[in-house]
Structure formats: C-alpha cells, structure tokens
C-alpha cells in the first residue's frame, strides 16, 4: 500500500465511516446498507428515520466514488456488480488507526464524530 494514496483515501469522513463499519462485521455489506448507516450518522438520526433523499445522496457518492477509491488502495474489497463491500486485510489496521486518531483528537462537545 502506498502511504500517500492511503492517507488521501482516508481523508474523507465517509470513507472513514465505511472502514469503521466494515471493521465491526465479518460479512459483506451492501452499499445500500452502508448508505443508510452513514446518512443516519451525518444527519444525527436513527437509521429507521433516514429518508429516501438522504439515503440516495449517500448511496450515489459511495457507489460512484468512495467505494472505488477505497478498493483501489486495497482498504476494502468492493464488488461493483453486486454493490457489496467487505473487509480486506488492511481494513482492521486502518480502522484501528482511525479510532486512535479520533481518540487523540477528541474535543468534548465537538460536532464531528467520524
């Protein structure tokens, strides 16, 4: 893995959320399920409250940009045909790195919770 490419890939909050989400499961996840989860986080609502517009906006960004970017640096395994994504060998180490950075940079009361 090229460090510069990986740093660029994880510089986006949606991509970090994908990595963190995948680190919590051993199963493949659909882009649709990820879209609901990420839309809920971004809108600070329960996933059951995510509307079609919020879900669609995140889904399009995931499938047209973010998942391909993460796949290109081997951070995740993305199947464009089935629109499913699963962990790669680097997913958990990257998730741990993201969690450590979040902890180190945590400011109580801040709105950014990636």
């Amino acid at each position: 893995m090229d460090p510069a490419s990986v740093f660029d890939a994880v510089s986006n909050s949606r991509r970090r959320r994908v990595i963190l989400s995948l680190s919590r499961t051993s199963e493949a996840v659909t882009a649709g399920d990820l879209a609901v989860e990420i839309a809920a986080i971004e809108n600070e609502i329960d996933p059951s409250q995510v509307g079609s517009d919020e879900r669609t906006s995140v889904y399009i960004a995931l499938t047209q940009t973010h998942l391909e970017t993460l796949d290109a640096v081997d951070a995740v395994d993305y199947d464009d045909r089935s629109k499913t994504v699963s962990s790669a060998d680097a997913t958990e180490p990257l998730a741990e790195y993201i969690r450590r950075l979040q902890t180190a940079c945590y400011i109580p009361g801040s709105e950014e919770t990636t």
Side-chain angles (χ1 to χ4, degrees):
M1 295 179 86
D2 172 49
S5 297
V6 174
F7 282 124
D8 183 54
V10 297
S11 68
N12 181 278
S13 65
R14 283 185 176 167
R15 293 184 204 138
R16 290 191 303 271
R17 289 181 177 126
V18 167
I19 291 169
L20 291 170
S21 180
L22 289 175
S23 76
R24 293 188 300 267
T25 183
S26 59
E27 304 291 321
V29 179
T30 67
D33 288 344
L34 281 173
V36 170
E37 180 180 338
I38 292 169
I41 293 167
E42 290 178 354
N43 292 286
E44 298 178 351
I45 57 175
D46 187 84
S48 65
Q49 302 287 317
V50 172
S52 178
D53 290 343
E54 293 99 354
R55 181 199 168 281
T56 300
S57 174
V58 174
Y59 179 84
I60 290 170
L62 288 176
T63 58
Q64 291 184 352
T65 304
H66 300 307
L67 297 176
E68 291 175 2
T69 298
L70 290 171
D71 186 64
V73 297
D74 297 323
V76 303
D77 290 323
Y78 175 55
D79 183 341
D80 185 46
R81 290 179 72 195
S82 65
K83 304 294 188 224
T84 58
V85 60
S86 57
S87 295
D89 290 340
T91 304
E92 184 52 42
L94 287 171
E96 181 60 28
Y97 165 76
I98 292 165
R99 286 190 286 270
R100 286 177 184 249
L101 279 174
Q102 286 176 328
T103 300
C105 299
Y106 175 73
I107 300 170
S110 70
E111 294 185 24
E112 179 64 25
T113 56
T114 57

